[in-house]
Amino acid sequence: MVLDPAATAGLGDSAAPTLAARHGPPLCSCPTPTPALRCPRGARRLSETGAVMRRSEGAGMRGGLRAAASLPHIARGRGEEGGGRRSPCLLVALRPCNVEAERERFFRASFAYDPQFEYAEPVPAAVLDKYAVASDRFVAQAIRIIRAVLEKYGTYESFEVATGGRLLSKCQIWSVIRKYMQKEGCVGEVVVQLTDDLLSQAVMMVEDSRPTLAINLAGARQHWLEGMLRHEIGTHYIRGVNNTRQPWHSSEGRKQYSLKPANPTEEGLASLHSVLFRKQPFLWRAALLYYTIERASRLSFSALFQDLEQYVQDAGIRWEYCVRAKRGQTDTSQPGCFSKDQVYLDGILRILRHRQTIDFPLLAALGKVSYEDVNRLKKFGVLEKARIPHFMQDLERYMKQLDHIVTTNCLNEEELEQLLPD
């Protein structure tokens, strides 16, 4: 996403010593946060509101939140002229509009039915073609990660309860969000919505030209929510803000500097940050998404659902994974997949393979760039006042956590080098 310079107004000027010494111009810590949020009283279904952290009609909320109109503005790219709200993101646009009706029919048929999905708008053929082919390159690693979780916890459901903790209420979610936004110094900059309409745990998107974070209520668990915020705010949003300062912030600039695509680095980095400080940082979700998509490319919806039973007993969870893998299809009796979600494990493994040579704070500071471009771009980057996620400030601890992720997920250096040679 491309932020207007207003999005970065008000950044502090305090230096980050370790980076300043290594890269010249000083990098700043995030600004002093504004006072905290309060949990809104009597909030409606939040996916139906234009802005969630806002003042109640007729009365100001305590805590000094910015009104929605004063939130950072996102500049439209070329070809995006026109009024009205844009489709919020690919994940939302590709959710079938009859998904609940087809779910009910699928369950009534005892899972012996292939859903016939409908979409509010035609799915662009270019999008479907781009993500029509699945990779099997890391299937063995995905299966090993899945089995390691099951060996330790018995079932996915036990893993979820043991490591995720209880589901949080809306007020508890607001409290966690408030504290995290304070850590990153971005209170009042991002609109937050709570919803049950996402196929993902959460997503950063642009609505009405404002940075907006939508969080799936079903995934907001006690020990997982902060990881979700590290993923969406600490990675996607902060790298997006930093990107606006760089000479490659536009498509023309990316071409001029011959940048590689931001993915799989972007999603791989964000996914690592999701599990970064867990005691047992299993990469279950990235692994199961990768496996599910590879199998979806070969199987019908009902056959895929049956195949996943060996790893996930809960029929509702299996349904969600199958819908994600089959989104974009209308007749799911045919083999086929939407392969976008394979980017998570792909990016994770590439970053872990090269973690000893990646300058992670610089990777954040330079914006939406691949780890492969960091060393080449650092002499051109605008580093003054760049934001660095709070959890990267202690780089020694950060690197130890990456090592812990490698060990926990039964990976090793030799294997990664063979999979991803220089």
Side-chain angles (χ1 to χ4, degrees), residues 22-47:
R22 290 155 58 194
H23 302 301
L27 290 159
C28 77
S29 299
C30 292
T32 303
T34 57
L37 304 170
R38 292 176 62 236
C39 180
R41 295 178 182 176
R44 291 177 298 151
R45 218 177 117 202
L46 298 179
S47 59

Side-chain angles (χ1 to χ4, degrees), residues 250-310:
S250 65
S251 58
E252 292 82 2
R254 296 188 72 85
K255 290 178 183 177
Q256 179 184 345
Y257 286 88
S258 302
L259 264 62
K260 297 180 183 295
N263 271 321
T265 295
E266 178 78 15
E267 293 296 352
L269 186 65
S271 297
L272 286 168
H273 293 164
S274 294
V275 303
L276 192 63
F277 297 113
R278 293 183 190 175
K279 292 181 180 178
Q280 300 292 334
F282 282 108
L283 298 164
W284 166 276
R285 186 169 178 80
L288 188 57
L289 283 170
Y290 192 97
Y291 172 84
T292 301
I293 288 164
E294 194 280 330
R295 299 301 292 157
S297 69
R298 305 168 184 267
L299 300 173
S300 68
F301 190 104
S302 56
L304 176 64
F305 187 88
Q306 183 177 358
D307 183 85
L308 290 185
E309 188 175 13
Q310 62 184 311

Side-chain angles (χ1 to χ4, degrees), residues 163-178 180 192 194 201-202 213 215-217 219-233 273-274 278:
T163 65
R166 67 181 185 279
L167 284 170
L168 299 177
S169 68
K170 287 181 180 179
C171 282
Q172 290 171 326
I173 294 171
W174 289 124
S175 178
V176 174
I177 292 171
R178 178 190 68 241
Y180 186 83
V192 178
L194 305 185
Q201 297 287 329
L213 171 61
I215 295 176
N216 192 333
L217 286 165
R221 290 187 171 272
Q222 178 185 6
H223 304 307
W224 288 356
L225 182 55
E226 183 159 343
M228 183 189 300
L229 295 171
R230 285 195 299 269
H231 182 121
E232 302 294 346
I233 301 296
H273 293 164
S274 294
R278 293 183 190 175

Side-chain angles (χ1 to χ4, degrees), residues 78-259:
R78 293 184 179 178
E80 294 178 358
E81 285 78 7
R85 174 176 294 183
R86 296 170 52 200
S87 297
C89 68
L90 190 61
L91 289 178
V92 176
L94 284 174
R95 185 177 179 88
C97 58
N98 65 336
V99 68
E100 293 304 325
E102 287 300 278
R103 184 184 193 278
E104 185 177 344
R105 187 173 180 182
F106 178 77
F107 278 74
R108 278 205 315 267
S110 300
F111 318 137
Y113 165 72
D114 292 303
Q116 304 297 299
F117 288 138
E118 299 172 0
Y119 300 88
E121 298 178 6
V123 181
V127 173
L128 296 180
D129 290 344
K130 180 179 180 180
Y131 297 111
V133 179
S135 171
D136 62 359
R137 186 174 190 177
F138 304 121
V139 166
Q141 288 69 37
I143 292 174
R144 192 188 315 148
I145 291 167
I146 293 167
R147 288 178 175 170
V149 171
L150 298 180
E151 182 177 341
K152 183 172 182 64
Y153 294 97
T155 65
Y156 167 74
E157 293 75 16
S158 298
F159 164 71
E160 187 176 70
V161 172
T163 65
R166 67 181 185 279
L167 284 170
L168 299 177
S169 68
K170 287 181 180 179
C171 282
Q172 290 171 326
I173 294 171
W174 289 124
S175 178
V176 174
I177 292 171
R178 178 190 68 241
K179 291 175 183 176
Y180 186 83
M181 295 291 195
Q182 289 173 338
K183 290 177 183 177
E184 298 296 7
C186 57
V187 171
E189 293 184 6
V190 179
V191 177
V192 178
Q193 299 177 350
L194 305 185
T195 177
D196 53 11
D197 289 338
L198 287 178
L199 292 177
S200 59
Q201 297 287 329
V203 64
M204 279 297 301
M205 55 190 180
V206 178
E207 279 198 354
D208 294 332
S209 299
R210 301 186 194 102
T212 301
L213 171 61
I215 295 176
N216 192 333
L217 286 165
R221 290 187 171 272
Q222 178 185 6
H223 304 307
W224 288 356
L225 182 55
E226 183 159 343
M228 183 189 300
L229 295 171
R230 285 195 299 269
H231 182 121
E232 302 294 346
I233 301 296
T235 310
H236 293 321
Y237 177 68
I238 286 181
R239 274 170 50 98
V241 170
N242 289 337
N243 198 68
T244 65
R245 300 178 179 276
Q246 306 306 333
W248 47 80
H249 70 274
S250 65
S251 58
E252 292 82 2
R254 296 188 72 85
K255 290 178 183 177
Q256 179 184 345
Y257 286 88
S258 302
L259 264 62

